[in-house]
Amino acid sequence: MISQYEQSRQANIEKNAALLKSLGLDKPAFEPKEVLRKPKAVPPRKRKQSATVDEDDEGPAVLEEPPSKAQRIEPQDLKEGSGVRRSSRNAGKAVDYKGEILRASLVPLAYSSGVKTTENTGPLGREEGPRKHNPKTYGHIPGVAVGTWWESRQGCSVDAIHAPWVGGISGGPNGAYSVALSGGYDDDVDLGYAFTYTGSGGRDLKGTKNAPKNLRTAPQSSDQSFENTFNKMLKRSSETKKPVRVIRGFKLKSKYAPSEGYRYDGLYTVEKAWMEKGLNAKGYLVCKYAFKRLSGQAALPVRIVDEEDNQDPVTTPEATSKSR
DNA sequence: GGGCCCGCAGGG
DNA sequence: CCCTGCGGGCCC
């Protein structure tokens, strides 16, 4: 039987999906010529028109794509790995179990997740060190290709793709610079080329005086609003239509989520901002946004969860079996 | 698995 | 300085 939570979730997902459809975002606005079979000379023109880097345009962001065939990963590997997706910072920690299998099949995993380049490794060969670029800019970051993958949010920050280590939204007066999709809200819909996103705020991070929490994330405990700094920035994005960098994380429940770590998925615009009842016990209001992927970017890798079921609103295997 | 605490980057 | 936030490590 279906839990109450799951029921509400499905209902919200349907509403979000309907909204995307009403905006014409239920299917790609373009035929993914991105799915290049053979790397016949990448048309140099298309990068210029849409995936444009705002104002400054030094070093056209590399839009080269990872080998497309490598998008598949062994289904059994994925299954094995699904229990140990904890961002793989297992160094020095019990390394036994399935983690090793993950490690062993690093190549297909890397492709499914994105590509790790030398550009995003710090001086120690890790995801740390000083920034070379300013994250407070709109559009691509020079030298960071769509599909670039990091083990943790720190790497995204160092490479100026998404500055905050925790926060989902980064931005300024003319709109958001970047957002992170990391499964914080279970009723967001992800179609890859479009998705719905939930704003921030309305969570009780500090607890009470007697029971201080000092958390970084927490359940919804009040309404969100567009007065919230970050929600305001995203709303602004829907007006200015400035491109927003998007990263997807391993916690996201979507077939477009990397199996581990975080991946840069390129530029999107915010097509609409609205409010609705969120997925929480009291039905607190949340700010929602519809994102649309700009054309002419490298194809998104797709997780093969099941040979059959590769439908759109994907729930992870464990999510379906678990009730709340 | 869940709970807790922490550093950190950003915005005001 | 203050506050926040779709992390992450650790301990149980």
Side-chain angles (χ1 to χ4, degrees):
Chain A
M1 70 181 252
I2 304 176
S3 68
Q4 177 63 48
Y5 176 87
E6 183 60 20
Q7 210 167 333
S8 316
R9 191 174 79 91
Q10 291 301 337
N12 282 18
I13 284 178
E14 272 179 43
K15 274 193 282 185
N16 277 249
L19 197 130
L20 287 179
K21 183 166 187 176
S22 77
L23 294 174
L25 300 179
D26 54 322
K27 47 190 172 304
F30 52 93
E31 259 328 293
K33 66 179 64 167
E34 334 169 27
V35 189
L36 20 142
R37 281 254 152 258
K38 18 191 136 180
K40 52 171 65 178
V42 192
R45 42 167 179 79
K46 66 179 172 189
R47 146 195 313 161
K48 217 20 188 184
Q49 33 116 212
S50 52
T52 144
V53 190
D54 249 49
E55 269 81 81
D56 76 303
D57 71 317
E58 65 164 299
V62 194
L63 284 186
E64 263 50 84
E65 48 287 277
S68 56
K69 48 146 163 259
Q71 284 177 11
R72 296 189 129 259
I73 66 179
E74 303 307 315
Q76 66 268 33
D77 281 354
L78 188 52
K79 285 230 171 83
E80 299 282 19
S82 57
V84 275
R85 298 186 280 142
R86 211 187 154 84
S87 120
S88 75
R89 195 160 273 240
N90 304 327
K93 200 186 146 184
V95 229
D96 55 336
Y97 56 133
K98 300 139 182 177
E100 273 314 291
I101 299 176
L102 269 184
R103 282 296 168 228
S105 61
L106 193 56
V107 172
L109 258 183
Y111 283 136
S112 92
S113 305
V115 172
K116 190 169 175 96
T117 68
T118 53
E119 185 65 30
N120 65 357
T121 54
L124 304 175
R126 303 173 56 101
E127 299 176 3
E128 50 193 41
R131 281 198 187 112
K132 293 187 205 147
H133 299 284
N134 184 1
K136 294 189 223 173
T137 56
Y138 295 99
H140 289 297
I141 300 298
V144 182
V146 170
T148 299
W149 176 91
W150 301 266
E151 186 175 293
S152 83
R153 289 276 297 265
Q154 184 180 358
C156 304
S157 184
V158 167
D159 283 336
I161 290 296
H162 184 66
W165 287 31
V166 177
I169 306 167
S170 170
N174 289 322
Y177 307 124
S178 55
V179 297
L181 279 67
S182 200
Y185 297 85
D186 283 346
D187 52 349
D188 284 333
V189 171
D190 186 11
L191 304 178
Y193 44 85
F195 60 86
T196 60
Y197 190 81
T198 304
S200 55
R203 298 172 177 225
D204 186 11
L205 303 175
K206 295 192 296 198
T208 65
K209 194 161 281 183
N210 289 337
K213 294 268 186 182
N214 194 17
L215 296 173
R216 297 297 177 270
T217 61
Q220 205 76 28
S221 58
S222 61
D223 289 346
Q224 294 185 357
S225 109
F226 287 115
E227 293 311 300
N228 173 287
T229 313
F230 302 108
N231 297 340
K232 195 184 294 179
M233 290 188 282
L234 271 183
K235 181 164 192 182
R236 184 84 181 115
S237 289
S238 70
E239 298 157 3
T240 65
K241 290 289 187 291
K242 286 203 173 290
V244 181
R245 293 185 296 275
V246 168
I247 63 172
R248 282 187 173 83
F250 67 98
K251 292 184 201 161
L252 180 65
K253 294 186 175 96
S254 155
K255 68 177 182 181
Y256 301 101
S259 49
E260 55 177 336
Y262 298 85
R263 185 187 63 219
Y264 175 46
D265 281 344
L267 303 180
Y268 289 69
T269 51
V270 180
E271 296 297 299
K272 185 181 174 69
W274 72 99
M275 293 198 77
E276 68 179 34
K277 285 193 175 189
L279 183 60
N280 49 64
K282 297 285 179 59
Y284 293 118
L285 293 176
V286 294
C287 300
K288 300 281 291 202
Y289 307 89
F291 280 69
K292 172 189 177 184
R293 194 167 196 246
L294 296 183
S295 60
Q297 305 187 82
L300 293 177
V302 176
R303 271 180 90 167
I304 312 290
V305 177
D306 220 291
E307 278 298 329
E308 315 276 311
D309 174 82
N310 210 7
Q311 304 303 27
D312 267 346
V314 154
T315 52
T316 55
E318 61 267 36
T320 39
S321 59
K322 201 184 341 184
S323 58
R324 286 285 197 118

